[in-house]
Amino acid sequence: MPLLEPKPGALRPHGIGGPSPDRMPEWRAGGTPEPLRGELTELLGARKVLWKASDLVRYASDASPYRFVPQVVVVAEDIDDVSAVLSYARGHGREVVFRAAGTSLNGQAQGEDILVDVRRHWTGVEVLEGGRRARIRPGTTVARANASLARHGRVLGPDPASAIACTLGGVVANNSSGMTAGTGRNAYRTLASLTFVLPGGTVVDTADPLADEELSRAEPALCRGLMEIKQEIEADPELVARIRAKYEIKNTTGYRLDAFLDGSTPVGILRGLMVGSEGTLGFLAELVFDTLPLDRHASGALLFFPSLPAAAAAVPLFTEAGALAVEVMDGNTLRASVSVPGVPGDWARLPKDTTALLVEFRAPDEAALAEYERRAAGVLAALELVAPVPSVANASNAFTRDPGTLHGYWTARKAFVTAVGGARAPGTTLITEDFAVPPARLAEACGALLALQAEHGFDAAVAGHAAHGNLHFLLAFDAARPADVARYAAFMEAFCRLTVERFDGSLKAEHSTGRNMAPFLELEWGPKATELMWRTKRVVDPEGLLAPRVLLDRDPQAHLRGLKTIPRVEAVADPCIECGFCEPTCPSKDLTTTPRQRIVLRREMVRQQPGSRVLDELLGSYGYDAVDTCAGDSTCMLACPVGIDTGALVKDFRHRRHGPREEWAAELAARRFAAVEGAARLAVAAAGAVSGIVGDRLLEAATGAARRAVRPDLVPQWLPRLPGAAARRLPPTRRVGAAAVYYPACINRIFGGPRGEPGPSLPEAVVTVSGRAGRPLWIPPGVAGTCCATIWHSKGYDAGNRVMANRIVEAAWGWTAGGRLPLVVDASSCALGIAREVVPYLTDDNRALHAGLTVVDSVVWAARELLPRLAVRRTAGSAVVHPTCSMRHLGAEGALRAVAEACAREVVVPDDAGCCAFAGDRGMLHPELAASATAREAAEVTAREFDAYLSANRMCEVGMERATGRPYHSALVELERATRP
């Protein structure tokens, strides 16, 4: 064991108060039992089988209110793996559930036996026919697919609010629609073809002209059974009429029985049945969508009404005027949305009954949009709107074309589930319901829903796609209290009867049946249609191995089984509803854990009782899986609608693991940083010299031995392609006449540019190009020995962090003449550190000084101050840009693109660009993290050649250079070359 290996007990939660009724039982502490583990490992290989207790726990939760711990998790890489798992399950009487993003709201992605991860290795988009079609793998998010299509002026029909996280496999499996899809643009209507694997292992491509012939040979009983059901339905005119009527409004309850009417052959029927089947009939391996035009001209408004029924009454007026989207948000939703960045704070004071409609018109051109706006003005003139708080009076209740304003409106709307869920009482479970009624009866349904909620003691939040008669509402209750569960059960019974018997509505409009609506399927469809659904399942999956109890369940109490408790953990994490929005942006998602999983694991620890073997197992894995391999970039906070910063949580965990000796050494390093900085520069220079003589292997072996002896999380690994040392002296500058103070980050005082690349160095380029623009910079003589404090902050060394945070602020105050000059920082992470991250560690006096500083990232400085004053004399043909995660936090991505566009005729930001996870030295401490984080972006970059590879942080450039083999450098170095006389 390494000398300084931390004890797992340092991460033990403070509030362990179990045992909780839904805890992982003691006998599961060893993870996947034998022979299941051994047999799957032999079949698939060890790296595809996740078996530890921590693996099973982190896959046990999703965005739904349910929690089921699988026996084993298989990470399938291809169709062969899926077929092998299905064959194994058939032969051993086991069950299989497929899971991609885990954003489903009704437990569809949870299983109690074999759970198959089909996200990690199942991404990819192929644009076809100039964008008119797209071939998409099922683990691809909606947002990622639309990013590829946008270049062609096209977009997918389904547009769920969870587009940044949900995958297309889940969208099709649930027939998710969203704000604008309605019944005409959803997956059922826009899916051109798909490839799926049946439970028997047969692979079917519905686009293949021979598909029916091959299927009839492979599975004759299945084909015969489907055609018999089709004939039986078509022989019953009343049933045919009922089926057609049910799909005139949004409906995802049960199987798509209209597939038997729309499909003329077994393959055609299966093509329709797979949509909304929730993984119970087969695995969706590939999807081909017909896409839609991306109308780029938009006009929208956020309109405030005195009550929900009043808002609902206005919906048909806008629908008739041609609005593409009419979304409703009730008072509870609006008030909870204040947690979303950009939402006015005074929404928290909106009266209880206040309701808003978000109305948007989209058009292909200016003339069409103007006509829509004319119609909208006529509707608006007849409405009685309210403006109960200043922000509404000043900015809302009127149509606008401003993209920023419209984006803000949609951000608030899309955050419905997560924002309201984050504002719920700590420790309560969140239920998301989704139903539809005929749009003409929406106002009546709203009134009835509010009365029913009040009757059962719920004050739920309501939002939804009002144009389509589709409402969502959220309920929170304590799943650990039987009385609360009984109250929820009574409400559900009454709600389902209200929806069906009074409104003939859909119990699930777009979230699909799931575990919480399966018991009510017959209530909506009646016994005959429901029995046809059971027959369909038996025909396609006669052994019942795929997702049992997810869509069909005869147990009337099934929706109350497996409800998860939400024990309180660290305060920063308590608002988490486990939605998964954070996961696509997480650098460690394909290596260890995600932000959601880090929180899920903490909650399971608290469910356990002291001395639990499960707790010990979870703690034993948590150090590496959750703490060491977190990049700490906090981009999860940007994706989380309630702003949970799991990166900050992990930094606190790192602090907890430090012993007194480590904290003392880190503080000493901060106090004597001038010597540390000089020694680091000499070490880089020496290592470069040694590497040049004996190669990299000796240095790799030496640092590897030191890491094993001390601790991998403390000793960096020598990596090939590391840059050489920076020059000992910074370029000369003058204080007199300086437009700003230039602070070269310590990383740029230690490391130089890419090996073999001609100069200038970054400090030389920044000084030169600023002078060339008539905005000269001054480098203070005392920068050595100072730092932005990120070194200590990222590792959780609080004492050292306080020393350096206060030192840099005091120094900057003096350098900038009391804040009269801006401080330009040449590394985005350091700009973020000085601008924001140092603040909690400052003394009161220094916090006052900090408030007077203007900290500017050097790329922002270049975009705002230099580009308007420079003449570009030469440009590269093409440049690929890696925006850093710090730039995302600073909102500086546009500035980086602007500088790049001044330097190159073609600028590409990869669709898969994300955090490189190098995170200062994290990529040297855990190279496997950076390799995993950059894999997709690197594949996109290396698919073609570029003339320039640009970024805005030296260590991120090193990380991308290592991932791609291409020489990344600062955009400011490129700008100096482009404007050089």
Side-chain angles (χ1 to χ4, degrees):
M1 178 180 288
L3 292 175
L4 296 179
E5 187 70 16
K7 295 180 179 179
L11 297 176
R12 189 179 300 272
H14 299 308
I16 294 177
S20 174
D22 62 336
R23 72 192 182 281
M24 188 182 201
E26 278 291 283
W27 63 269
R28 303 288 305 272
T32 301
E34 296 290 2
L36 178 61
R37 174 186 165 191
E39 289 172 348
L40 285 176
T41 299
E42 183 178 355
L43 179 67
L44 301 166
R47 63 188 176 85
K48 298 178 184 178
V49 179
L50 304 181
W51 59 270
K52 295 186 303 181
S54 61
D55 296 326
L56 307 183
V57 167
R58 63 191 174 95
Y59 275 93
S61 293
D62 62 6
S64 79
Y66 298 100
R67 182 171 176 273
F68 294 97
V69 181
Q71 293 289 327
V72 67
V73 177
V74 171
V75 182
E77 293 187 0
D78 50 34
I79 283 183
D80 289 343
D81 287 345
V82 172
S83 296
V85 170
L86 293 176
S87 176
Y88 176 85
R90 287 196 308 276
H92 292 78
R94 308 210 68 112
E95 302 166 352
V96 177
V97 169
F98 298 108
R99 171 176 173 142
T103 56
S104 299
L105 296 168
N106 300 311
Q108 298 97 311
Q110 294 183 328
E112 299 171 77
D113 196 358
I114 301 174
L115 187 69
V116 183
D117 181 325
V118 290
R119 176 195 62 81
R120 188 178 302 184
H121 299 289
W122 296 85
T123 60
V125 181
E126 181 186 0
V127 177
L128 307 171
E129 301 175 22
R132 289 186 294 277
R133 282 190 171 178
R135 188 186 312 278
I136 306 172
R137 305 196 76 203
T140 307
T141 66
V142 175
R144 175 63 180 83
N146 280 335
S148 293
L149 289 169
R151 298 191 186 95
H152 304 271
R154 309 291 291 186
V155 69
L156 293 174
D159 65 335
S162 56
I164 64 168
C166 68
T167 61
L168 268 303
V171 166
V172 174
N174 290 300
N175 197 21
S176 307
S177 46
M179 277 73 67
T180 64
T183 57
R185 295 161 55 114
N186 61 18
Y188 188 81
R189 300 299 178 193
T190 61
L191 192 65
S193 68
L194 72 160
T195 299
F196 53 85
V197 184
L198 290 167
T202 304
V203 179
V204 179
D205 177 359
T206 64
D208 184 349
L210 300 177
D212 272 299
E213 180 181 331
E214 294 172 353
L215 182 63
S216 65
R217 284 198 300 266
E219 308 228 16
L222 183 151
C223 293
R224 185 170 54 253
L226 291 178
M227 295 307 291
E228 288 173 355
I229 295 174
K230 174 179 173 64
Q231 293 165 7
E232 183 174 333
I233 292 174
E234 290 179 336
D236 187 338
E238 185 178 344
L239 180 59
V240 170
R242 178 62 177 161
I243 291 171
R244 291 301 188 192
K246 287 295 292 178
Y247 294 110
E248 288 179 0
I249 63 174
K250 294 173 73 171
N251 191 322
T252 59
T253 313
Y255 291 126
R256 290 280 314 208
L257 290 180
D258 56 346
F260 289 101
L261 303 176
D262 298 333
S264 58
T265 68
V267 168
I269 293 169
L270 284 170
R271 176 253 170 240
L273 280 174
M274 288 295 166
V275 180
S277 64
E278 304 175 52
T280 63
L281 300 180
F283 168 63
L284 310 182
E286 187 176 81
L287 315 160
V288 178
F289 278 92
D290 289 321
T291 66
L292 301 170
L294 176 58
D295 292 336
R296 299 184 186 274
H297 297 265
S299 180
L302 190 63
L303 308 175
F304 286 77
F305 295 80
S307 67
L308 183 57
V315 170
L317 304 178
F318 287 109
T319 303
E320 292 165 8
L324 180 64
V326 184
E327 297 290 299
V328 63
M329 294 180 280
D330 79 337
N332 285 341
T333 302
L334 295 168
R335 287 186 292 276
S337 296
V338 297
S339 63
V340 179
V343 170
D346 63 3
W347 282 16
R349 302 194 303 274
L350 286 168
K352 183 180 185 303
D353 295 332
T354 303
T355 302
L357 289 183
L358 171 52
V359 183
E360 185 171 275
F361 294 87
R362 283 194 168 271
D365 52 50
E366 182 76 22
L369 187 64
E371 172 58 22
Y372 280 139
E373 288 178 323
R374 185 191 66 77
R375 298 180 196 172
V379 174
L380 207 57
L383 299 178
E384 294 186 9
L385 304 177
V386 296
V389 294
S391 67
V392 175
N394 296 335
S396 300
N397 286 343
F399 279 84
T400 178
R401 297 186 180 187
D402 179 65
T405 302
L406 293 176
H407 176 75
Y409 292 160
W410 280 111
T411 298
R413 167 60 190 93
K414 291 178 180 180
F416 164 62
V417 173
T418 45
V420 175
R424 76 195 187 285
T428 56
T429 297
L430 189 71
I431 299 281
T432 305
E433 294 301 341
D434 154 54
F435 72 108
V437 299
R441 301 187 68 184
L442 180 65
E444 180 188 355
C446 288
L449 175 63
L450 293 176
L452 189 66
Q453 289 174 355
E455 179 184 340
H456 290 270
F458 287 108
D459 186 19
V462 179
H465 319 307
H468 310 293
N470 177 196
L471 291 179
H472 308 315
F473 62 92
L474 304 179
L475 306 174
F477 65 94
D478 188 345
R481 296 180 58 203
D484 250 21
V485 174
R487 181 166 62 100
Y488 163 66
F491 172 83
M492 280 297 294
E493 180 74 22
F495 160 71
C496 291
R497 293 200 174 279
L498 173 74
T499 301
V500 171
E501 295 171 357
R502 179 170 169 181
F503 296 101
D504 194 19
S506 306
L507 292 175
K508 284 296 176 186
E510 61 178 1
H511 293 170
S512 217
T513 315
R515 296 176 183 272
N516 76 325
M517 205 52 72
F520 302 98
L521 181 64
E522 187 171 332
L523 174 66
E524 176 174 341
W525 276 98
K528 185 170 187 177
T530 302
E531 188 52 39
L532 288 172
M533 294 182 189
W534 279 97
R535 279 179 58 191
T536 299
K537 171 68 170 173
R538 289 193 295 271
V539 165
V540 179
D541 182 16
E543 297 175 63
L545 69 91
L546 287 184
R549 308 192 70 170
V550 164
L551 188 149
L552 297 172
D553 199 325
R554 298 194 190 277
D555 178 3
Q557 301 295 306
H559 59 304
L560 307 179
R561 176 176 169 268
L563 289 170
K564 68 182 172 188
T565 62
I566 304 292
R568 300 183 69 168
V569 288
E570 287 76 17
V572 67
D574 278 339
C576 176
I577 63 165
E578 302 174 7
C579 67
F581 281 29
C582 56
E583 294 194 336
T585 192
C586 178
S588 59
K589 63 180 178 294
D590 293 333
L591 179 68
T592 51
T593 58
T594 66
R596 167 168 63 177
Q597 291 173 339
R598 290 177 172 98
I599 294 171
V600 163
L601 288 165
R602 296 300 285 178
R603 286 174 171 167
E604 180 58 35
M605 292 178 195
V606 175
R607 290 188 185 101
Q608 298 296 320
Q609 59 188 342
S612 159
R613 286 180 55 224
V614 172
L615 175 59
D616 291 342
E617 289 292 330
L618 297 182
L619 287 170
S621 299
Y622 202 77
Y624 176 78
D625 289 350
V627 180
D628 293 346
T629 51
C630 174
D633 63 304
S634 293
T635 52
C636 51
M637 179 180 68
L638 301 178
C640 176
V642 292
I644 297 173
D645 187 351
T646 313
L649 179 64
V650 167
K651 290 165 190 170
D652 178 62
F653 291 155
R654 289 173 183 163
H655 174 66
R656 294 189 202 179
R657 294 202 301 174
H658 295 154
R661 286 181 300 172
E662 283 185 73
E663 283 287 342
W664 173 83
E667 183 179 4
L668 183 64
R671 295 190 183 281
R672 300 181 180 178
F673 190 64
V676 172
E677 177 186 334
R681 188 187 310 106
L682 287 174
V684 171
V690 171
S691 175
I693 297 171
V694 301
D696 291 308
R697 288 191 176 181
L698 181 60
L699 290 170
E700 289 176 350
T703 55
R707 284 160 59 82
R708 289 190 295 274
V710 181
R711 177 175 150 200
D713 205 49
L714 288 179
V715 179
Q717 173 74 52
W718 173 262
L719 302 177
R721 306 185 71 94
L722 278 177
R728 290 187 61 191
R729 298 184 183 279
L730 293 166
T733 57
R734 298 182 59 194
R735 181 169 189 170
V736 177
V741 175
Y742 171 29
Y743 181 67
C746 66
I747 202 69
N748 294 320
R749 306 194 305 262
I750 295 172
F751 286 103
R755 292 180 182 271
E757 286 283 298
S761 68
L762 177 58
E764 289 170 340
V766 173
V767 168
T768 300
V769 76
S770 294
R772 189 177 293 154
R775 303 291 285 164
L777 300 175
W778 173 58
I779 302 176
V783 296
T786 64
C787 173
C788 65
T790 300
I791 295 173
W792 293 268
H793 177 65
S794 65
K795 298 176 185 299
Y797 290 116
D798 285 2
N801 195 1
R802 281 191 293 271
V803 168
M804 191 54 73
N806 284 281
R807 180 185 299 171
I808 186 59
V809 168
E810 290 167 3
W813 181 257
W815 296 335
T816 62
R820 283 190 282 275
L821 291 176
L823 183 73
V824 177
V825 184
D826 67 1
S828 57
S829 59
C830 302
L832 178 66
I834 299 174
R836 299 181 190 173
E837 292 176 346
V838 299
V839 175
Y841 300 91
L842 299 176
T843 64
D844 291 342
D845 289 343
N846 284 340
R847 194 172 287 117
L849 299 184
H850 183 274
L853 295 176
T854 301
V855 182
V856 182
D857 180 80
S858 57
V859 174
V860 175
W861 167 259
R864 292 178 182 173
E865 300 292 332
L866 307 187
L867 284 183
R869 298 175 170 87
L870 289 169
V872 175
R873 301 176 184 276
R874 61 191 65 80
T875 55
S878 60
V880 64
V881 174
H882 172 73
T884 70
C885 48
S886 298
M887 301 200 83
R888 289 187 60 196
H889 285 286
L890 292 167
E893 292 171 289
L896 178 60
R897 183 163 195 130
V899 172
E901 288 175 342
C903 301
R905 294 184 292 279
E906 178 196 11
V907 172
V908 173
V909 177
D911 290 333
D912 285 315
C915 176
C916 68
F918 222 79
D921 64 353
R922 185 70 31 186
M924 299 169 69
L925 297 171
H926 296 287
E928 71 278 13
L929 172 61
S932 178
T934 55
R936 291 194 180 103
E937 183 177 358
E940 202 173 340
V941 170
T942 56
R944 57 167 285 192
E945 291 295 323
F946 293 91
D947 297 314
Y949 299 83
L950 308 178
S951 191
N953 189 292
R954 190 71 199 99
M955 297 315 291
C956 297
E957 292 154 18
V958 171
M960 289 307 301
E961 182 172 340
R962 178 170 169 76
T964 64
R966 307 298 198 267
Y968 276 77
H969 59 264
S970 171
L972 297 186
V973 171
E974 192 68 22
L975 181 63
E976 191 282 324
R977 294 172 183 169
T979 59
R980 192 180 298 169

